[in-house]
Amino acid sequence: MAYEIPVTQARAELADLINRVVYGGERVVVTRHGKPLVALVSAADLERLEEAQDHAGGQEHVEGQQAEEQIITSVAAVHDTGAAAPRERHRFGITAEHRGPNAS
């Protein structure tokens, strides 16, 4: 459990709070109007938090790559619908066709 202290009191006792964190192994949560604002944690705790965050981010990256590969595989499995294009023109009422610059 972290030690909570209002921001106004924390300003006055900052040196003491730093000592509690560094030497006492405590975690201090500074509050404003009773709501958590910031936390003072030791450098070792911060390092552990960052390692956990990096590990979680790496896991999300792997899951994202797997999802992307699954989408690519699904799209690659779709059959070529080039032969259906003339039927689609009639279906949607499109009558004009591009014949190129040398067409008569």
Side-chain angles (χ1 to χ4, degrees):
M1 179 91 181
Y3 172 71
E4 291 189 8
I5 186 168
V7 69
T8 53
Q9 186 179 350
R11 280 190 198 122
E13 299 177 20
L14 184 59
D16 183 50
L17 295 175
I18 291 172
N19 286 334
R20 290 177 79 155
V21 170
V22 173
Y23 302 112
E26 293 185 45
R27 296 176 180 155
V28 177
V29 176
V30 180
T31 61
R32 179 181 287 154
H33 306 295
K35 296 181 181 178
L37 186 62
V38 298
L40 299 175
V41 297
S42 68
D45 280 351
L46 178 61
E47 189 175 318
R48 283 192 294 272
L49 287 169
E50 288 175 342
E51 286 174 3
Q53 183 180 6
D54 289 345
H55 177 71
Q59 185 65 27
E60 290 172 1
H61 180 69
V62 168
E63 291 171 0
Q65 280 183 327
Q66 289 173 345
E68 185 176 327
E69 288 172 6
Q70 184 178 11
I71 291 169
I72 291 170
T73 303
S74 298
V75 170
V78 174
H79 297 289
D80 182 22
T81 59
R87 285 182 280 161
E88 292 296 315
R89 280 191 217 121
H90 293 292
R91 178 176 165 200
F92 292 107
I94 299 172
T95 57
E97 234 178 77
H98 177 69
R99 296 187 184 184
N102 297 331
S104 50

